[in-house]
Amino acid sequence: MAAPGVLLLLIHGCAVLAVELSTSNQNPVVEEYQSVELSCIIKSTTTNDPRIEWKKIRNDETSYVYFDNTIQGDLKGRAKIQSKSSLVILNTSRSDNGKYRCEVAAVDDSKKIDEINIFLTVKVKPVAPKCTVPKSVPVGKSAALHCQENEGYPSSLYSWYRNSDPLPNDSKTNPKFLNSSFTLDPKTGTLTFSAVSKGDMGRYYCIASNDAGSAKCDEQVLEVYDLNIGGIVGGILVVVLVLSLITAGICCAYRKGYFASNSRSTGQSFKNPGKPEGVNYLRTNDEVKRHLQSRLREEEAMRI
């Protein structure tokens, strides 16, 4: 009979001693800031003082947590070894999420090394989500309400409320909301209206929740107003009428000469002067004769 706590492997009829590990909880879950034990139990070994190591594997990177009888890395000062080989984290943080490996080396055993993996989940309560609600939307138009927070772990799921009434994921699945046309994606937190109606007006808020707790955003009011088609058409007609009157007035002013050049307003003619200064023209014989007769009459008048 094998001694208690010693594993015997039969190989070709011979008993072979081997180190073997087990755990009481391979998937521990804890809320942030609480303590948790990562159980690593040595079921069998003949080595009096086996070497114990803990490693953390996250994002394909491996780092030491416990090595050479010392807590390592960011767990230093907030973790300890308990019951010879189990790791206790006294004040868990969201950064502690990941896979941990307990490795035991027993040099006096035939099978000298064994290991076991522990998967730790640290739950983080959501913070108040950021909500976006349009202030006003015309009847018949589409609209989207957004809700998001990035602190909670596991990832939060979202629910929307109108006037303190919870909204279903699809308005058509609840007789109370048959006059609405919205759908809700609880993973993204987006509440989408394909065509807003008057009944959709109200006070909206969102709650983000996971296994660690929940948080809500402040209420925001969504207003829905009628789109006045008649008023819009009437306004367009008024603008067209005003532009027509302005155009007619400008044309009339042009016809009456109100937009003529400044030379006409000062009394100057657009006709070329008869004889610009410094320019001599050739005179005909009749012009010379008339000029001489005019001079003679002026001289005779002066003698008298």
Side-chain angles (χ1 to χ4, degrees), residues 177-250:
F177 301 99
L178 288 180
N179 292 329
S180 295
S181 60
F182 63 79
T183 55
L184 167 62
D185 188 337
K187 293 183 178 180
T188 64
T190 300
L191 179 65
T192 305
F193 292 86
S194 59
V196 174
S197 66
K198 278 286 190 177
D200 296 322
M201 185 164 53
R203 295 174 288 106
Y204 287 80
Y205 66 88
C206 169
I207 293 180
S209 59
N210 63 11
D211 293 340
S214 62
K216 60 169 287 189
C217 65
D218 294 332
E219 288 185 348
Q220 299 182 47
V221 176
L222 171 65
E223 295 183 355
V224 180
Y225 62 90
D226 291 319
L227 194 61
N228 191 350
I229 303 298
I232 295 175
V233 173
I236 294 174
L237 292 177
V238 169
V239 172
V240 172
L241 179 60
V242 171
L243 292 176
S244 300
L245 291 175
I246 293 174
T247 302
I250 293 174

Side-chain angles (χ1 to χ4, degrees), residues 50-67:
R51 188 179 76 247
I52 301 167
E53 295 178 357
W54 277 92
K55 297 176 182 178
K56 181 179 180 181
I57 300 94
R58 186 172 183 181
N59 299 327
D60 296 327
E61 294 184 1
T62 302
S63 59
Y64 276 106
V65 172
Y66 180 74
F67 177 74

Side-chain angles (χ1 to χ4, degrees), residues 69-298:
N69 298 323
T70 305
I71 299 294
Q72 307 282 332
D74 60 359
L75 285 181
K76 189 173 184 178
R78 60 187 185 93
K80 64 180 182 179
I81 295 297
Q82 181 173 282
S83 301
K84 192 175 182 178
S85 54
S86 294
L87 177 68
V88 176
I89 303 176
L90 302 173
N91 184 18
T92 56
S93 167
R94 64 193 66 190
S95 62
D96 296 333
N97 278 294
K99 181 172 74 172
Y100 292 78
R101 178 180 297 152
C102 175
E103 299 178 356
V104 175
V107 295
D108 295 335
D109 290 20
S110 297
K111 179 191 173 187
K112 301 181 183 300
I113 297 177
D114 195 15
E115 63 183 37
I116 192 169
N117 292 320
I118 308 296
F119 301 88
L120 173 63
T121 298
V122 179
K123 298 187 295 183
V124 181
K125 182 180 178 180
V127 298
K130 180 181 179 181
C131 297
T132 304
V133 178
K135 292 183 178 180
S136 59
V137 181
V139 171
K141 295 295 183 179
S142 61
L145 284 65
H146 301 282
C147 180
Q148 190 67 42
E149 75 87 31
N150 298 313
E151 297 295 326
Y153 187 88
S155 298
S156 294
L157 294 178
Y158 303 94
S159 55
W160 275 96
Y161 293 75
R162 184 181 69 205
N163 301 329
S164 299
D165 292 329
L167 301 182
N169 291 345
D170 190 336
S171 60
K172 304 307 179 186
T173 61
N174 191 322
K176 185 177 180 179
F177 301 99
L178 288 180
N179 292 329
S180 295
S181 60
F182 63 79
T183 55
L184 167 62
D185 188 337
K187 293 183 178 180
T188 64
T190 300
L191 179 65
T192 305
F193 292 86
S194 59
V196 174
S197 66
K198 278 286 190 177
D200 296 322
M201 185 164 53
R203 295 174 288 106
Y204 287 80
Y205 66 88
C206 169
I207 293 180
S209 59
N210 63 11
D211 293 340
S214 62
K216 60 169 287 189
C217 65
D218 294 332
E219 288 185 348
Q220 299 182 47
V221 176
L222 171 65
E223 295 183 355
V224 180
Y225 62 90
D226 291 319
L227 194 61
N228 191 350
I229 303 298
I232 295 175
V233 173
I236 294 174
L237 292 177
V238 169
V239 172
V240 172
L241 179 60
V242 171
L243 292 176
S244 300
L245 291 175
I246 293 174
T247 302
I250 293 174
C251 292
C252 183
Y254 266 113
R255 293 194 192 98
K256 292 184 177 182
Y258 290 113
F259 293 97
S261 63
N262 292 333
S263 61
R264 179 173 296 178
S265 63
T266 57
Q268 296 180 352
S269 173
F270 285 102
K271 295 181 180 179
N272 292 328
K275 181 183 177 183
E277 293 181 1
V279 180
N280 292 324
Y281 292 95
L282 294 178
R283 297 179 176 178
T284 63
N285 292 334
D286 290 339
E287 289 176 337
V288 173
K289 184 177 179 179
R290 286 195 296 271
H291 179 68
L292 291 175
Q293 290 176 350
S294 175
R295 292 292 297 276
L296 289 174
R297 285 194 296 270
E298 290 175 359

